[in-house]
Amino acid sequence: MYEGPVQDLIDELGRLPGVGPKSAQRIAFHLLGADPADIARLQQALQKVKEGVVFCDVCGNVSEEATCRICRDARRDPGSVCVVEEPKDVLAIERTREFKGRYHVLGGALDPLSGIGPDQLRVRELLARISDQEVTEVILATDPNTEGEATATYLVRMLRDFPGLTVTRLASGLPMGGDLEFADELTLGRALSGRRTV
């Protein structure tokens, strides 16, 4: 263990997702040796994100304004809504350039063992959005893992009684247990264009 502020920095960095103790230590010592101007830029970037980034009122994606640029874009098809777990999944699907509709970010996936149920996700907002708007297709693009599949199954049950609504799921081809974020554009594009009705 290191003394005082160095150990505090390592501990705080280690709390970040995907950063283990060794990575936290490497990052901390990199920051200790970094130019003060670089540290100031990092501090400013963190402050700007914390103060200036919000979640879109419509879809839940990250945005600098109350409504994100995708929801504001009149060229996007409001009848097609792609449901994803996290904002990073929006970026993954946008990279494919296959989807021209709008999104709905759940804010996670069902995970009863971690205490995450439908009330902790933006499911109510999705149902209200489908009721209030002229949505004709909902594409379930949750991650191909246990939590993502459970979330998709739950949403299919919730959405099946909406008249005239087609519910589709990404086609197979995505590796089970993976994240949409890590799928290459070609594979994800094919899964999106070959989606199946559920």
Side-chain angles (χ1 to χ4, degrees):
M1 292 212 20
Y2 296 94
E3 291 183 19
V6 173
Q7 188 60 48
D8 292 344
L9 178 60
I10 292 170
D11 292 343
E12 289 304 314
L13 290 169
R15 292 177 47 188
L16 296 171
V19 178
K22 291 285 187 189
S23 294
Q25 184 177 325
R26 276 194 298 278
I27 294 168
F29 280 101
H30 171 77
L31 293 172
L32 283 172
D35 187 79
D38 293 339
I39 299 298
R41 275 196 309 277
L42 177 61
Q43 286 175 320
Q44 288 172 350
L46 289 170
Q47 185 125 14
K48 280 182 186 176
V49 163
K50 199 63 189 155
E51 292 172 356
V53 176
V54 295
F55 292 99
C56 175
D57 291 339
V58 178
C59 72
N61 194 12
V62 291
S63 177
E64 291 184 76
E65 299 178 31
T67 306
C68 73
R69 69 175 172 76
I70 294 173
C71 289
R72 289 190 315 262
D73 189 346
R75 297 171 297 181
R76 303 298 290 234
D77 177 10
S80 183
V81 174
C82 183
V83 178
V84 296
E85 293 177 20
E86 301 288 347
K88 62 184 173 51
D89 300 326
V90 171
L91 180 62
I93 292 174
E94 282 295 290
R95 281 193 323 250
T96 69
R97 295 192 170 110
E98 290 285 331
F99 182 63
K100 304 299 180 205
R102 304 227 169 121
Y103 293 92
H104 187 85
V105 180
L106 293 170
L110 293 176
D111 187 0
L113 296 177
S114 299
I116 300 172
D119 292 339
Q120 284 73 43
L121 303 177
R122 297 184 72 249
V123 174
R124 250 178 280 126
E125 292 87 342
L126 174 63
L127 299 176
R129 189 172 172 192
I130 293 168
S131 295
D132 296 344
Q133 298 177 8
E134 297 176 16
V135 177
T136 57
E137 180 186 23
V138 171
I139 303 164
L140 300 176
T142 54
D143 287 340
N145 56 29
T146 307
E147 293 84 5
E149 292 298 321
T151 304
T153 301
Y154 175 79
L155 290 174
V156 166
R157 283 199 330 260
M158 298 301 292
L159 298 171
R160 72 173 141 216
D161 293 331
F162 281 88
L165 182 66
T166 302
V167 180
T168 59
R169 185 89 173 101
L170 293 182
S172 56
L174 295 170
M176 187 63 178
D179 285 329
L180 293 184
E181 168 187 24
F182 300 119
D184 65 272
E185 288 87 357
L186 184 61
T187 302
L188 188 54
R190 285 181 180 158
L192 188 61
S193 62
R195 61 189 177 267
R196 64 193 190 283
T197 303
V198 289

